[in-house]
Amino acid sequence: MKFHNKLIDWYLVNARDLPWRKTQDPYPIWLSEIMLQQTRISQGLPYFFKFIEEFPTVFHLANASEDQVLKLWQGLGYYSRARNLHSTAKHVAYNLNGIFPSTYKELKTLKGVGDYTASAIASFCYREPVAVVDGNVYRVLSRFFGIDTPINSTEGIKEFKTLAQKLLDKKQPHIYNQAIMEFGALQCSPKSPDCNSCPLQANCVAFQQDLIQSLPRKLKKTKVQEKFYNYLVIVDSKENVLIEKRTGNGIWKNLYQFPLIESPKDCNLPKDLISFDENKISQEILQKASLYNEEPIKHVLSHRKLWVKFWVIKIENLNFIENLSKSFIMTNQIDTFAVPVVIEKFIDTYGFSK
């Protein structure tokens, strides 16, 4: 039996019941694919339902503000996906009359849509015979064929795409693509694959040569940078708190945060904050800072490890902000703003009045 037939037979028995598999409408399929980039289905599924309820069509999403989109996305991470999602929704709604492109080549022109997402939408919605290659597909192909070319190398990306396209069931690409991804997620999983009941076991090079744990191979990642973040939670007598909107091109672009003092080392005393303060908050204010968490919170991002401390500063009023950057704003509704997850968790535990 051919490779693709075995996978499809397995899939028809083991496929999970997921909402985007019940439609050919490109909007929910596109939405799900963007959400599930570098995200487990169990984590992404609640967000998918929230977005579909809040934005049932691409027009609803396009007409929302970026702040609304980021707030709904909060906690899912990789926020550039949300910004690209919103940008593409506006392009499809306003420039394409709500109609998504129908070919792989045209889909790749959309912001935030790369080879994998374009292949998925083109095959699932329009039955175009283009192979998907995601982390699950890399793993299945690498193990089955015993390929040790690093999957994150230029050579590896080209090699696996060519092989995936060669193996594709051209008559039913939508089913085959779903099958190989699902197989990688459930059967040929990263750390504990179920080799004993695997229908591909007899011809799997990795199984036969005891290479399961060493494949697929990856080039070493960029060294992780360590940073020390000190957030100043400045609260007045009416429970107004000071926040600002992040700018620049970082991963938290356009999310909100408390005033931040980034330091080259761990800070334990208010005097430490004063020496590293670039916002020019008065020494009188900073001297009132009280540590909320003495042990820093470790927050790991793709190429960065953050050590986060929150400093609570209670004052009578926030009038001093007139002397600061105009980016600072006062609010007593902090829970309505889109913030990084590490700040969201602090807000939940601190207990601001709502």
Side-chain angles (χ1 to χ4, degrees), residues 3-12 176 179-180 183 200:
F3 179 80
H4 64 73
N5 288 334
K6 287 186 177 182
L7 284 177
I8 290 173
D9 286 349
W10 176 93
Y11 176 75
L12 294 176
Y176 171 80
I180 191 168
F183 188 84
L200 303 179

Side-chain angles (χ1 to χ4, degrees), residues 63-83:
N63 291 331
S65 69
E66 185 179 85
D67 282 347
Q68 284 178 288
V69 175
L70 289 173
K71 179 61 180 177
L72 208 60
W73 191 277
Q74 182 174 292
L76 198 53
Y78 299 97
Y79 289 90
S80 61
R81 293 181 297 168
R83 293 190 290 270

Side-chain angles (χ1 to χ4, degrees), residues 46-92:
Y47 285 88
F48 174 82
F49 286 126
K50 283 195 298 183
F51 265 75
I52 288 295
E53 182 178 359
E54 187 76 16
F55 312 122
T57 70
V58 71
F59 294 101
H60 289 88
L61 180 54
N63 291 331
S65 69
E66 185 179 85
D67 282 347
Q68 284 178 288
V69 175
L70 289 173
K71 179 61 180 177
L72 208 60
W73 191 277
Q74 182 174 292
L76 198 53
Y78 299 97
Y79 289 90
S80 61
R81 293 181 297 168
R83 293 190 290 270
N84 289 339
L85 187 85
H86 192 218
S87 177
T88 293
K90 289 190 285 188
H91 172 64
V92 172

Side-chain angles (χ1 to χ4, degrees), residues 86-147:
H86 192 218
S87 177
T88 293
K90 289 190 285 188
H91 172 64
V92 172
Y94 304 149
N95 300 329
L96 303 179
N97 298 315
I99 301 172
F100 277 81
S102 59
T103 67
Y104 165 82
K105 186 176 180 180
E106 292 173 313
L107 285 162
K108 275 195 72 177
T109 66
L110 299 178
K111 196 169 185 179
V113 174
D115 173 79
Y116 162 73
T117 305
S119 299
I121 298 171
S123 62
F124 300 162
C125 301
Y126 308 115
R127 307 303 189 247
E128 185 177 350
V130 282
V132 296
V133 183
D134 70 346
N136 291 313
V137 176
Y138 277 125
R139 187 164 54 256
V140 173
L141 297 183
S142 175
R143 287 174 174 172
F144 183 80
F145 292 98
I147 302 170

Side-chain angles (χ1 to χ4, degrees), residues 230 266-275 286 289 291 309 311:
N230 299 275
D266 189 24
C267 290
N268 291 303
L269 297 170
K271 67 179 182 180
D272 298 330
L273 299 177
I274 294 171
S275 60
L286 291 177
L291 261 177
K309 283 187 173 179
W311 299 76

Side-chain angles (χ1 to χ4, degrees), residues 149-255:
T149 309
I151 63 174
N152 57 343
S153 66
T154 302
E155 180 186 2
I157 292 169
K158 182 178 180 180
E159 180 179 355
F160 281 97
K161 181 67 177 182
T162 300
L163 177 59
Q165 190 65 32
K166 181 180 178 181
L167 296 168
L168 181 69
D169 186 338
K170 306 293 194 298
K171 295 181 179 179
Q172 42 186 355
H174 58 301
I175 297 178
Y176 171 80
N177 278 337
Q178 290 277 16
I180 191 168
M181 288 193 295
E182 191 80 331
F183 188 84
L186 301 182
Q187 187 82 32
C188 194
S189 55
K191 294 183 179 179
S192 303
D194 186 5
C195 296
N196 291 331
S197 64
C198 178
L200 303 179
Q201 181 201 95
N203 301 108
C204 176
V205 173
F207 179 79
Q208 301 299 335
Q209 298 183 12
D210 195 23
L211 298 173
I212 293 294
Q213 299 305 322
S214 60
L215 293 176
R217 279 189 61 228
K218 278 187 178 182
L219 296 174
K220 290 185 178 179
K221 292 183 178 180
T222 305
K223 186 178 179 180
V224 175
Q225 291 182 319
E226 285 194 297
K227 290 183 174 289
F228 297 87
Y229 277 14
N230 299 275
Y231 286 113
L232 308 180
V233 187
I234 308 175
V235 188
D236 71 8
S237 58
K238 297 180 180 179
E239 289 217 357
N240 289 304
V241 64
L242 202 61
I243 60 173
E244 64 177 336
K245 194 171 190 176
R246 288 182 65 97
T247 56
N249 293 316
I251 59 168
W252 289 341
K253 177 184 176 182
N254 293 345
L255 297 185

